[in-house]
PDB file of all heavy atoms in Angstrom:
ATOM      1  N   ARG W 156     242.556  49.753  20.219  1.00  0.00           N
ATOM      2  CA  ARG W 156     241.137  50.087  20.229  1.00  0.00           C
ATOM      3  C   ARG W 156     240.859  51.317  19.365  1.00  0.00           C
ATOM      4  O   ARG W 156     239.797  51.447  18.801  1.00  0.00           O
ATOM      5  CB  ARG W 156     240.737  50.372  21.676  1.00  0.00           C
ATOM      6  CG  ARG W 156     239.359  49.924  22.033  1.00  0.00           C
ATOM      7  CD  ARG W 156     239.193  49.900  23.519  1.00  0.00           C
ATOM      8  NE  ARG W 156     239.325  51.231  24.131  1.00  0.00           N
ATOM      9  CZ  ARG W 156     239.313  51.440  25.437  1.00  0.00           C
ATOM     10  NH1 ARG W 156     239.224  50.431  26.275  1.00  0.00           N
ATOM     11  NH2 ARG W 156     239.414  52.646  25.930  1.00  0.00           N
ATOM     12  N   SER W 157     241.805  52.234  19.268  1.00  0.00           N
ATOM     13  CA  SER W 157     241.556  53.469  18.507  1.00  0.00           C
ATOM     14  C   SER W 157     242.317  53.432  17.175  1.00  0.00           C
ATOM     15  O   SER W 157     243.234  52.630  16.984  1.00  0.00           O
ATOM     16  CB  SER W 157     241.982  54.676  19.326  1.00  0.00           C
ATOM     17  OG  SER W 157     243.216  54.444  19.933  1.00  0.00           O
ATOM     18  N   VAL W 158     241.886  54.326  16.277  1.00  0.00           N
ATOM     19  CA  VAL W 158     242.552  54.410  14.974  1.00  0.00           C
ATOM     20  C   VAL W 158     243.286  55.736  14.873  1.00  0.00           C
ATOM     21  O   VAL W 158     243.029  56.651  15.648  1.00  0.00           O
ATOM     22  CB  VAL W 158     241.540  54.276  13.805  1.00  0.00           C
ATOM     23  CG1 VAL W 158     240.920  52.905  13.788  1.00  0.00           C
ATOM     24  CG2 VAL W 158     240.477  55.361  13.872  1.00  0.00           C
ATOM     25  N   ARG W 159     244.182  55.825  13.887  1.00  0.00           N
ATOM     26  CA  ARG W 159     245.030  57.009  13.796  1.00  0.00           C
ATOM     27  C   ARG W 159     245.350  57.358  12.344  1.00  0.00           C
ATOM     28  O   ARG W 159     245.407  56.477  11.481  1.00  0.00           O
ATOM     29  CB  ARG W 159     246.338  56.785  14.557  1.00  0.00           C
ATOM     30  CG  ARG W 159     247.031  55.517  14.147  1.00  0.00           C
ATOM     31  CD  ARG W 159     248.067  55.050  15.149  1.00  0.00           C
ATOM     32  NE  ARG W 159     247.607  54.994  16.522  1.00  0.00           N
ATOM     33  CZ  ARG W 159     246.913  53.971  17.035  1.00  0.00           C
ATOM     34  NH1 ARG W 159     246.595  52.944  16.278  1.00  0.00           N
ATOM     35  NH2 ARG W 159     246.532  53.969  18.296  1.00  0.00           N
ATOM     36  N   GLY W 160     245.552  58.659  12.091  1.00  0.00           N
ATOM     37  CA  GLY W 160     246.005  59.112  10.780  1.00  0.00           C
ATOM     38  C   GLY W 160     244.935  59.064   9.708  1.00  0.00           C
ATOM     39  O   GLY W 160     243.825  58.577   9.919  1.00  0.00           O
ATOM     40  N   ALA W 161     245.318  59.558   8.509  1.00  0.00           N
ATOM     41  CA  ALA W 161     244.385  59.615   7.383  1.00  0.00           C
ATOM     42  C   ALA W 161     243.943  58.220   6.967  1.00  0.00           C
ATOM     43  O   ALA W 161     242.877  58.031   6.379  1.00  0.00           O
ATOM     44  CB  ALA W 161     245.064  60.326   6.217  1.00  0.00           C
ATOM     45  N   LYS W 162     244.750  57.234   7.263  1.00  0.00           N
ATOM     46  CA  LYS W 162     244.430  55.849   6.887  1.00  0.00           C
ATOM     47  C   LYS W 162     243.530  55.158   7.912  1.00  0.00           C
ATOM     48  O   LYS W 162     243.156  54.005   7.726  1.00  0.00           O
ATOM     49  CB  LYS W 162     245.735  55.044   6.784  1.00  0.00           C
ATOM     50  CG  LYS W 162     246.280  54.919   5.392  1.00  0.00           C
ATOM     51  CD  LYS W 162     247.556  54.100   5.408  1.00  0.00           C
ATOM     52  CE  LYS W 162     247.294  52.638   5.747  1.00  0.00           C
ATOM     53  NZ  LYS W 162     248.517  51.867   5.902  1.00  0.00           N
ATOM     54  N   GLU W 163     243.263  55.856   9.009  1.00  0.00           N
ATOM     55  CA  GLU W 163     242.526  55.272  10.140  1.00  0.00           C
ATOM     56  C   GLU W 163     243.154  53.938  10.536  1.00  0.00           C
ATOM     57  O   GLU W 163     242.498  52.908  10.647  1.00  0.00           O
ATOM     58  CB  GLU W 163     241.052  55.101   9.790  1.00  0.00           C
ATOM     59  CG  GLU W 163     240.395  56.434   9.446  1.00  0.00           C
ATOM     60  CD  GLU W 163     238.876  56.401   9.570  1.00  0.00           C
ATOM     61  OE1 GLU W 163     238.305  55.328   9.355  1.00  0.00           O
ATOM     62  OE2 GLU W 163     238.308  57.448   9.890  1.00  0.00           O
ATOM     63  N   ASP W 164     244.430  53.999  10.731  1.00  0.00           N
ATOM     64  CA  ASP W 164     245.241  52.823  11.017  1.00  0.00           C
ATOM     65  C   ASP W 164     244.972  52.334  12.447  1.00  0.00           C
ATOM     66  O   ASP W 164     245.142  53.088  13.404  1.00  0.00           O
ATOM     67  CB  ASP W 164     246.721  53.260  10.867  1.00  0.00           C
ATOM     68  CG  ASP W 164     247.665  52.100  10.814  1.00  0.00           C
ATOM     69  OD1 ASP W 164     247.259  51.004  11.221  1.00  0.00           O
ATOM     70  OD2 ASP W 164     248.806  52.301  10.360  1.00  0.00           O
ATOM     71  N   PRO W 165     244.547  51.079  12.625  1.00  0.00           N
ATOM     72  CA  PRO W 165     244.305  50.594  13.987  1.00  0.00           C
ATOM     73  C   PRO W 165     245.584  50.118  14.689  1.00  0.00           C
ATOM     74  O   PRO W 165     245.543  49.719  15.850  1.00  0.00           O
ATOM     75  CB  PRO W 165     243.358  49.409  13.762  1.00  0.00           C
ATOM     76  CG  PRO W 165     243.738  48.892  12.424  1.00  0.00           C
ATOM     77  CD  PRO W 165     244.226  50.058  11.618  1.00  0.00           C
ATOM     78  N   PHE W 166     246.682  50.162  13.977  1.00  0.00           N
ATOM     79  CA  PHE W 166     247.933  49.642  14.558  1.00  0.00           C
ATOM     80  C   PHE W 166     248.770  50.770  15.162  1.00  0.00           C
ATOM     81  O   PHE W 166     248.946  51.816  14.560  1.00  0.00           O
ATOM     82  CB  PHE W 166     248.769  48.949  13.485  1.00  0.00           C
ATOM     83  CG  PHE W 166     248.132  47.716  12.937  1.00  0.00           C
ATOM     84  CD1 PHE W 166     247.331  47.779  11.802  1.00  0.00           C
ATOM     85  CD2 PHE W 166     248.304  46.493  13.553  1.00  0.00           C
ATOM     86  CE1 PHE W 166     246.733  46.650  11.294  1.00  0.00           C
ATOM     87  CE2 PHE W 166     247.711  45.350  13.049  1.00  0.00           C
ATOM     88  CZ  PHE W 166     246.915  45.434  11.916  1.00  0.00           C
ATOM     89  N   SER W 167     249.287  50.495  16.360  1.00  0.00           N
ATOM     90  CA  SER W 167     250.273  51.427  16.908  1.00  0.00           C
ATOM     91  C   SER W 167     251.647  50.776  16.784  1.00  0.00           C
ATOM     92  O   SER W 167     251.762  49.565  16.583  1.00  0.00           O
ATOM     93  CB  SER W 167     249.950  51.770  18.359  1.00  0.00           C
ATOM     94  OG  SER W 167     250.150  50.643  19.154  1.00  0.00           O
TER      95      SER W 167
END
Side-chain angles (χ1 to χ4, degrees):
Chain W
R156 215 165 63 185
S157 44
V158 295
R159 52 198 50 82
K162 263 180 69 186
E163 300 200 330
D164 193 342
F166 294 93
S167 69

